Amino acid sequence: MKVILMGTGTSHGIPVIGCDCKVCTSQDPRDNRMRCSAYVVQDKTEVVIDVGPEFRLQALRNNIRRLDAVLLTHSHADHLHGLDDLRIFSHTYPCKYDREAFPETEGSGLPVYGNKKTLSDLRKRFSYLFKPVKEGGGVAKLDFKDVSSYGPDNPLLIGSLKIFPVPLKHGSLDTTGWLFTSCGDDGKAGNIAYLTDCNAVPESSISLVRSCGPLEHLVIDGLRVRPHSTHFCFDEALACAEKIGARHTWFIHMNHDLLHVEIEKYIEENLHKYPALTKIVEQGGSVAPGYDQLELTL
């Protein structure tokens, strides 16, 4: 399994429009942070997590040519407003009203998974997707699927991927994290958890992540040093990571307060507060800021 972090920045993206701070003008490519999205590949199965405003650029950068599904965390613009660029990927999943254009194929559309709130918002914001296509027009052919029926005893199976939705809290909003686990029987490959846009991870969700076997990579929301009402600050992310116990922990959804190297230094100077994480690092693990195009593998 391979997970590429296509974007690791907060809702503004970095550089921020009109900003001349040290992060936004940095020459270190790790300080250039597109809006959060990830590309997951195992064997011939390919999915993406979130489709923000830079999704087209991210897809071109990673030479994405096909998709089996899209997994949404929530409906905020920085995670959703590249949805229309799924048109090119949905041509192999034509909607019923396009049967004349695609007589040789059938299907209700490219599967897009999200919780009830996310799908409800999506239907309102992208209402044109449900109207007949006018001459010369074209829309993404999408099949919205509610994840509420999936859980610890009923994983979502997409190709060779076994996926568990992980309920999170983003202020008062319910969001969805995603846990990817190997479909193999030996359990040695490990798992990858992607938990963005949250300021709380319920104990039941922590138990779910821990119950699926060794967690190789934890990708977790870590906005900044200062507390925030809807995002983990760095120390809150470290405290949650200590409970989860992944071999490698990566911060994402970072703002422009600190350079990449300064976030590394902050983690190094504060890791001692979290003895379980310290022990993991001493045994060959790591805790670090993520960056765009970071590739996580199992």
Side-chain angles (χ1 to χ4, degrees), residues 53-116:
E54 286 108 358
F55 175 66
R56 174 180 172 273
L57 299 176
Q58 293 166 334
L60 289 170
R61 174 188 274 186
N62 289 280
N63 195 30
I64 303 176
R65 294 176 174 269
R66 60 174 300 278
L67 287 174
D68 293 289
V70 176
L71 309 176
L72 297 178
T73 59
H74 63 302
S75 60
H76 285 169
D78 55 318
H79 295 260
L80 184 62
H81 280 194
L83 188 82
D84 198 64
D85 287 316
L86 292 174
R87 280 188 296 170
I88 196 68
F89 300 106
S90 66
H91 289 173
T92 54
Y93 299 89
C95 293
K96 291 182 179 179
Y97 58 73
D98 272 344
R99 288 279 172 80
E100 292 183 6
F102 297 90
E104 74 285 358
T105 57
E106 295 186 4
S108 55
L110 177 67
V112 177
Y113 294 87
N115 63 25
K116 289 181 179 180

Side-chain angles (χ1 to χ4, degrees), residues 224-277:
R224 63 192 190 189
V225 174
R226 294 170 290 129
H228 190 276
S229 60
T230 62
H231 291 275
F232 278 145
C233 66
F234 292 163
D235 279 290
E236 290 167 335
L238 290 169
C240 185
E242 183 169 53
K243 289 184 179 180
I244 292 174
R247 178 171 170 80
H248 302 286
T249 295
W250 308 96
F251 288 0
I252 59 168
H253 214 287
M254 296 165 288
N255 74 356
H256 62 149
D257 282 0
L258 295 178
L259 298 163
H260 183 92
V261 293
E262 291 175 329
I263 301 173
E264 288 181 321
K265 183 178 179 181
Y266 182 90
I267 293 171
E268 180 182 356
E269 292 178 347
N270 289 273
L271 193 62
H272 69 275
K273 302 175 186 176
Y274 308 94
L277 274 183

Side-chain angles (χ1 to χ4, degrees), residues 1-278:
M1 189 191 303
K2 175 173 67 177
V3 176
I4 297 174
L5 303 183
M6 298 194 296
T8 57
T10 190
S11 56
H12 289 295
I14 299 170
V16 176
I17 295 172
C19 183
D20 297 319
C21 76
K22 62 183 178 182
V23 180
C24 291
T25 57
S26 170
Q27 297 303 302
D28 186 339
R30 296 174 299 179
D31 291 320
N32 192 322
R33 303 164 187 153
M34 292 188 185
R35 267 63 76 93
C36 284
S37 182
Y39 177 40
V40 185
V41 181
Q42 180 168 281
D43 301 324
K44 295 182 179 180
T45 303
E46 302 174 53
V47 305
V48 294
I49 306 173
D50 288 339
V51 284
E54 286 108 358
F55 175 66
R56 174 180 172 273
L57 299 176
Q58 293 166 334
L60 289 170
R61 174 188 274 186
N62 289 280
N63 195 30
I64 303 176
R65 294 176 174 269
R66 60 174 300 278
L67 287 174
D68 293 289
V70 176
L71 309 176
L72 297 178
T73 59
H74 63 302
S75 60
H76 285 169
D78 55 318
H79 295 260
L80 184 62
H81 280 194
L83 188 82
D84 198 64
D85 287 316
L86 292 174
R87 280 188 296 170
I88 196 68
F89 300 106
S90 66
H91 289 173
T92 54
Y93 299 89
C95 293
K96 291 182 179 179
Y97 58 73
D98 272 344
R99 288 279 172 80
E100 292 183 6
F102 297 90
E104 74 285 358
T105 57
E106 295 186 4
S108 55
L110 177 67
V112 177
Y113 294 87
N115 63 25
K116 289 181 179 180
K117 172 62 174 172
T118 298
L119 297 184
S120 175
D121 288 349
L122 193 155
R123 289 178 183 277
K124 295 173 185 176
R125 211 173 300 166
F126 297 90
S127 60
Y128 64 86
L129 294 175
F130 307 98
K131 299 176 181 179
V133 178
K134 297 184 181 297
E135 183 178 357
V139 298
K141 307 163 186 68
L142 307 177
D143 183 15
F144 302 140
K145 295 181 177 292
D146 184 1
V147 299
S148 62
S149 61
Y150 300 101
D153 300 319
N154 181 35
L156 170 61
L157 301 176
I158 302 175
S160 63
L161 288 172
K162 182 188 293 185
I163 306 167
F164 296 87
V166 182
L168 307 172
K169 294 298 292 187
H170 183 30
S172 61
L173 182 66
D174 292 323
T175 59
T176 305
W178 299 97
L179 173 66
F180 301 87
T181 184
S182 170
C183 288
D185 295 328
D186 58 12
K188 294 181 180 178
N191 307 304
I192 297 177
Y194 186 92
L195 311 180
T196 192
D197 283 58
C198 59
N199 67 322
V201 180
E203 288 299 325
S204 57
S205 293
I206 292 176
S207 296
L208 167 62
V209 173
R210 290 178 60 89
S211 70
C212 290
L215 187 64
E216 186 70 9
H217 296 285
L218 169 63
V219 181
I220 191 167
D221 187 333
L223 181 70
R224 63 192 190 189
V225 174
R226 294 170 290 129
H228 190 276
S229 60
T230 62
H231 291 275
F232 278 145
C233 66
F234 292 163
D235 279 290
E236 290 167 335
L238 290 169
C240 185
E242 183 169 53
K243 289 184 179 180
I244 292 174
R247 178 171 170 80
H248 302 286
T249 295
W250 308 96
F251 288 0
I252 59 168
H253 214 287
M254 296 165 288
N255 74 356
H256 62 149
D257 282 0
L258 295 178
L259 298 163
H260 183 92
V261 293
E262 291 175 329
I263 301 173
E264 288 181 321
K265 183 178 179 181
Y266 182 90
I267 293 171
E268 180 182 356
E269 292 178 347
N270 289 273
L271 193 62
H272 69 275
K273 302 175 186 176
Y274 308 94
L277 274 183
T278 300

